[in-house]
Amino acid sequence: MCDSCGCDDGSGVTITRLVPGLADHHHHHQHHKFRTITLETEVLAKNDALAARNREYLRRRKILALNLVSSPGSGKTTILERTIRDLRGELAMAVIEGDQQTRRDAERISATGAEVVQVNTGAGCHLDSQMVARAIEQLELHDDSLLFIENVGNLVCPAMFDLGEAAKVVIISVTEGEDKPQKYPHMFRAATLCLINKTDLLPYLRFDVTACREMAAQVNPDLEFIELSAVSGEGVGRWYDWLRQHREGLNT
Amino acid sequence: MHEMSLALSIVEQTREAATREGAVRILEVEIEVGCLAGVLADSLQFCLEAVGKDDGLADTIFRITEVGATGNCRVCAATFPADSFLVLCPSCASDDVSLNGGRELKIRSLTIED
């Protein structure tokens, strides 16, 4: 790379800030006063190691854990309320609720009768594997069950943090822009399933479902889609089938 | 703003490694960030300097190297450099492209004073 202006030969960009007085520190290597040690450690090594422990614990107990991610207001909690009410005779379900503040979502889930723990992250913009490990300790989980982890409403940061889930489910509602998958590609790339929620409102909106799916598929060709309305109930059967199929997949 | 969480983690792991090695000073930390890792290098740099200042690493140079990704076209099998999730195959213009690499987020090395 050119040292004067930073122009690049295409092999990757290096940005170096030199601290006055230390600019010639490489020179000192020859005197063996300084040495460089190779680490090659993952920045998120601690999070990933704890996430792997969560995943192994959940796998052994045949608990399907799903990390629900979306922007605020897409209907994550409403989808969970409906899912728990519709499937509670069939499957044991528990929820970890992540929000910066308040226990409102946990109270809504609790009203359905499901096991729930609220994690308040304070200033934090995402859940991490340690928060989930602590929440799991407090939950009375059943073997052969479902664990929904409702992440903090944020389409950016939660994409980076593995919690130990089996899959990320990204939710987009039709009151949002259909180009969100391209504006927030990391999240749509990290997800296995995309729920397109609030379809009962489509007659009143200009949201183009096909365009949304195409834009998401460009970011993640393997992404699955289910269109549903947690309020009217249209399409929820396909979501339940997806849950059943993935839960049964834990037995194989 | 997950860059702050990452900066805290980098500084913590750097200090642990330096203590293990018996270093009296950390001159430089070399960090590798993939272009698809979801990390803004400028923001991480800012956070590292802010965290470092509070943690006795005010003179430490945090050197961030960005690394690219490779796209593999699933239609015509072409291989090409990619720097975003939204890539079209330069040979056949298909958007059915699998991406390899670019998600690196590592502390490569430390330069320390014994």
Side-chain angles (χ1 to χ4, degrees):
Chain A
M1 190 177 82
C2 164
D3 285 328
S4 312
C5 68
C7 64
D8 187 54
D9 61 4
S11 62
V13 179
T14 303
I15 302 165
T16 306
R17 169 182 168 264
L18 296 180
V19 172
L22 285 177
D24 64 341
H25 70 278
H26 287 292
H27 164 79
H28 297 293
H29 292 183
Q30 291 150 16
H31 301 293
H32 303 288
K33 197 181 172 193
F34 302 109
R35 62 193 169 100
T36 297
I37 51 171
T38 304
L39 281 185
E40 293 290 339
T41 53
E42 297 292 334
V43 171
L44 289 171
K46 286 188 178 174
N47 184 76
D48 292 348
L50 198 44
R53 258 179 56 188
N54 292 346
R55 184 169 285 112
E56 177 58 17
Y57 172 81
L58 295 162
R59 190 191 62 79
R60 255 191 258 151
R61 296 195 57 190
K62 294 186 177 170
I63 298 169
L64 177 68
L66 298 172
N67 182 358
L68 274 64
V69 290
S70 78
S71 46
S74 67
K76 293 187 293 300
T77 312
T78 308
I79 290 172
L80 289 181
E81 286 175 307
R82 173 131 204 160
T83 304
I84 292 164
R85 291 203 164 104
D86 287 351
L87 296 184
R88 62 185 157 195
E90 178 185 343
L91 285 166
M93 287 167 280
V95 179
I96 297 171
E97 278 290 345
D99 279 302
Q100 286 197 324
Q101 304 277 334
T102 85
R103 295 183 189 171
R104 282 167 197 267
D105 282 359
E107 284 161 7
R108 285 171 60 186
I109 297 298
S110 188
T112 67
E115 269 286 307
V116 61
V117 162
Q118 177 79 53
V119 177
N120 285 130
T121 58
C125 50
H126 57 270
L127 294 179
D128 63 33
S129 56
Q130 189 176 9
M131 296 175 196
V132 169
R134 285 173 58 197
I136 287 173
E137 279 172 23
Q138 294 196 28
L139 281 170
E140 285 188 25
L141 293 174
H142 295 269
D143 290 351
D144 298 297
S145 65
L146 288 179
L147 173 63
F148 296 109
I149 305 166
E150 184 181 331
N151 218 312
V152 177
N154 175 349
L155 271 177
V156 183
C157 311
M160 289 208 66
F161 293 84
D162 185 8
L163 307 178
E165 72 273 8
K168 285 187 179 71
V169 177
V170 64
I171 295 132
I172 179 170
S173 59
V174 299
T175 51
E176 302 171 49
E178 62 238 336
D179 52 359
K180 273 222 172 135
Q182 300 209 341
K183 287 179 174 170
Y184 300 94
H186 292 275
M187 192 62 89
F188 286 83
R189 184 84 191 176
T192 303
L193 172 68
C194 175
L195 298 180
I196 302 178
N197 190 27
K198 307 189 189 179
T199 52
D200 55 309
L201 298 177
L202 278 172
Y204 313 103
L205 301 166
R206 277 176 288 179
F207 186 93
D208 184 338
V209 175
T210 307
C212 179
R213 290 174 69 138
E214 280 172 4
M215 282 193 260
Q218 281 174 8
V219 171
N220 180 357
D222 300 320
L223 189 63
E224 299 173 64
F225 298 90
I226 295 173
E227 294 158 33
L228 56 81
S229 164
V231 172
S232 75
E234 86 182 297
V236 294
R238 291 182 55 219
W239 159 235
Y240 300 157
D241 286 342
W242 191 93
L243 290 174
R244 289 183 190 107
Q245 184 197 332
H246 282 76
R247 223 220 51 74
E248 280 158 21
L250 296 178
N251 294 322
T252 57
Chain B
M1 209 28 203
H2 52 278
E3 281 82 0
M4 189 51 95
S5 308
L6 302 177
L8 287 164
S9 175
I10 290 168
V11 168
E12 185 190 351
Q13 293 187 59
T14 297
R15 296 193 69 87
E16 282 172 9
T19 305
R20 211 163 49 229
E21 296 284 331
V24 296
R25 202 154 65 97
I26 305 167
L27 282 95
E28 187 177 295
V29 184
E30 202 187 358
I31 298 148
E32 186 177 278
V33 175
C35 65
L36 305 178
V39 176
L40 201 57
D42 284 353
S43 172
L44 182 61
Q45 186 87 46
F46 177 84
C47 293
L48 281 166
E49 287 168 20
V51 172
K53 217 169 277 175
D54 284 345
D55 208 8
L57 303 182
D59 293 332
T60 301
I61 298 169
F62 294 99
R63 191 148 67 88
I64 299 176
T65 305
E66 294 184 73
V67 294
T70 307
N72 294 297
C73 179
R74 297 207 276 202
V75 175
C76 77
T79 298
F80 48 91
D83 62 0
S84 109
F85 289 117
L86 292 168
V87 285
L88 294 179
C89 171
S91 304
C92 74
S94 164
D95 59 8
D96 193 2
V97 169
S98 68
L99 294 166
N100 295 302
R103 307 198 177 226
E104 298 80 359
L105 185 53
K106 276 186 202 167
I107 308 172
R108 257 191 205 161
S109 67
L110 298 185
T111 301
I112 54 173
E113 183 179 354
D114 286 313

